[in-house]
Amino acid sequence: MTTHTAHQPSRTPTALAHIPHPHISTTLPREPTPLAPALPPAFEAFCVLNRASYLDYARAHLPPKQAHQLVCRVLGELAVSWCDIVSNSNPPARAWTLLRTRVQAAAPAPGALDACSAQQYDALVLHCRLGYSSTAAALVTGLDPSKIRYLVLSATAARRQAVRHLHPRPAVARAA
């Protein structure tokens, strides 16, 4: 004998039946939320403090448009690796090294200055060419102000003079 039992849907326990459902308003248009990444406030502050100095340094070597593009790329690289940068014992020095490396790749130092150490070259450019105080140069490079003063004063007169006459490299025309 076959017995047929009607399948009855399971009943929701009464406790669950009384859970209020959120009311979705249909009067307001639902616009997509922009998916802009939120940058850490510390990175934004870093950019505010250093962007102008980075641009000054890049413009001492490159035409303005190329310098601006380079600094934007460097700041982008710093944003991507921000956690590594701030975990370093000297974040400004690490960030400055990235900028210096990118600028040197785009515009190598002129012959009279290519024998300088990287730190001395940067100190000379910032202090002698751009007029930064030793304190301002130290803040942007992550060096001690006394180190900046030492690097500038220990440079030969010929190096200090050569950096004063540093000009941006002409823009390279790109073939279409």
Side-chain angles (χ1 to χ4, degrees), residues 30-168:
R30 297 183 109 199
E31 293 184 26
T33 308
L35 296 176
L39 296 172
F43 178 73
E44 290 181 3
F46 176 85
C47 288
V48 168
L49 291 172
N50 293 293
R51 181 181 289 123
S53 298
Y54 283 23
L55 280 169
D56 287 345
Y57 185 83
R59 286 182 188 136
H61 299 87
L62 301 166
K65 183 177 179 180
Q66 191 178 356
H68 184 267
Q69 291 169 341
L70 184 138
V71 170
C72 285
R73 283 192 307 271
V74 166
L75 292 176
E77 287 182 60
L78 291 173
V80 169
S81 60
W82 186 245
C83 288
D84 290 335
I85 298 290
V86 295
S87 67
N88 188 277
S89 62
N90 190 343
R94 181 132 181 233
W96 181 262
T97 299
L98 178 64
L99 173 72
R100 177 193 328 117
T101 302
R102 298 298 182 260
V103 169
Q104 286 177 345
L113 296 166
D114 63 355
C116 281
S117 71
Q119 288 183 342
Q120 186 173 52
Y121 179 81
D122 293 344
L124 289 171
V125 170
L126 289 168
H127 184 73
C128 298
R129 172 72 170 86
L130 298 173
Y132 281 54
S133 69
S134 56
T135 302
L139 285 173
V140 74
T141 60
L143 297 174
D144 190 82
S146 63
K147 176 86 172 195
I148 296 291
R149 285 189 294 275
Y150 169 77
L151 291 167
V152 170
L153 293 174
S154 65
T156 63
R159 285 184 179 164
R160 287 194 298 272
Q161 188 65 23
V163 81
R164 286 186 184 105
H165 297 292
L166 186 66
H167 293 289

